[in-house]
Amino acid sequence: AQTVTQSQPEMSVQEAETVTLSCTYDTSESDYYLFWYKQPPSRQMILVIRQEAYKQQNATENRFSVNFQKAAKSFSLKISDSQLGDAAMYFCAYRRGRLGNEKLTFGTGTRLTIIP
Amino acid sequence: NAGVTQTPKFRILKIGQSMTLQCTQDMNHNYMYWYRQDPGMGLKLIYYSVGAGITDKGEVPNGYNVSRSTTEDFPLRLELAAPSQTSVYFCASSSGASEAFFGQGTRLTVV
């Protein structure tokens, strides 16, 4: 069974600084998707970034980028120029294959605090 | 642009009561899901559906039932509520080749 591990229950960063959130996963599949979701206090699950396993290039979305190490099964999220609005729970998620009937497997989350 | 809409947002149930959590999406997605999120944990899949008339169990289906009569709607039924079902429930939908879009969640407390 696939598992997703987030080893940092809490992280904090000074506003405008850079922070990296860690995620490792276990799978025997070669074709899969990885996601980072943000959950602010409003509870809404918001997609931050996604990575297709077959793509070697790391995904980027504005201030958010990933370091995808397929052989090491590592998928970290880097947030540059941290802003107060980045404060939230961040969940790493894995989905096998490319079909929607494959479930998302979530990590336990990392709570990110932004220090003004 | 509504996306995925869940109702209600909050609910308190007494042990043994039943209720239905409503979920509707306006993106014409075939795939829909129900997750629960317990404190300090990630989301766990309860049930999912790949299209109207087709549903299947996820990781934690016991105590729940679902139906999918239309593409848009995917209600979750709780029968005989128990304290262990106290959680936040999320409905989500996906076109299949993309990420899942989530509703705002329902906080359910069983007392």
Side-chain angles (χ1 to χ4, degrees):
Chain A
Q2 292 84 15
T3 58
V4 177
T5 301
Q6 293 179 252
S7 59
Q8 305 155 316
E10 297 183 353
M11 292 281 286
S12 60
V13 62
Q14 293 277 353
E15 193 175 3
E17 296 295 311
T18 296
V19 64
T20 298
L21 308 184
S22 300
C23 173
T24 59
Y25 58 95
D26 185 25
T27 184
S28 58
E29 305 290 333
S30 59
D31 191 13
Y32 51 88
Y33 282 98
L34 295 164
F35 305 89
W36 279 98
Y37 279 90
K38 170 186 177 182
Q39 187 180 43
S42 67
R43 282 204 317 257
Q44 182 73 46
M45 293 290 286
I46 303 165
L47 179 70
V48 176
I49 201 166
R50 73 172 188 174
Q51 175 80 44
E52 292 91 337
Y54 65 89
K55 290 186 177 179
Q56 291 187 331
Q57 187 173 4
N58 289 328
T60 63
E61 288 288 341
N62 300 314
R63 296 183 295 108
F64 299 87
S65 61
V66 298
N67 183 5
F68 174 47
Q69 301 288 328
K70 191 171 184 178
K73 297 180 183 175
S74 170
F75 183 60
S76 61
L77 174 70
K78 185 172 82 170
I79 306 174
S80 303
D81 185 25
S82 297
Q83 300 175 0
L84 294 177
D86 295 334
M89 284 289 290
Y90 286 81
F91 291 96
C92 179
Y94 163 98
R95 194 185 83 198
R96 183 178 71 176
R98 305 189 192 186
L99 297 178
N101 62 334
E102 297 293 346
K103 69 182 180 77
L104 281 168
T105 299
F106 287 86
T108 52
T110 296
R111 183 175 301 281
L112 179 63
T113 301
I114 309 299
I115 303 167
Chain B
N1 191 8
V4 179
T5 302
Q6 290 182 236
T7 56
K9 289 187 170 53
F10 303 93
R11 182 71 186 268
I12 298 174
L13 276 183
K14 293 184 177 179
I15 294 172
Q17 287 185 322
S18 300
M19 76 164 294
T20 298
L21 280 65
Q22 301 291 344
C23 175
T24 187
Q25 52 93 7
D26 62 359
M27 296 174 282
N28 201 33
H29 285 167
N30 284 327
Y31 302 96
M32 295 188 74
Y33 318 86
W34 275 105
Y35 288 88
R36 60 177 286 172
Q37 183 182 26
D38 297 327
M41 304 294 289
L43 281 67
K44 293 189 176 181
L45 184 65
I46 304 171
Y47 270 95
Y48 67 97
S49 170
V50 302
I54 306 170
T55 63
D56 208 347
K57 296 178 180 179
E59 298 173 87
V60 289
N62 291 343
Y64 307 95
N65 278 299
V66 293
S67 59
R68 184 95 181 270
S69 58
T70 66
T71 298
E72 295 78 19
D73 300 310
F74 190 41
L76 177 72
R77 176 90 178 154
L78 278 72
E79 305 283 1
L80 298 174
S84 61
Q85 294 178 304
T86 294
S87 190
V88 179
Y89 291 83
F90 287 95
C91 179
S93 73
S94 168
S95 66
S98 70
E99 68 274 15
F101 295 85
F102 286 81
Q104 287 197 301
T106 297
R107 182 178 294 278
L108 175 67
T109 303
V110 182
V111 296

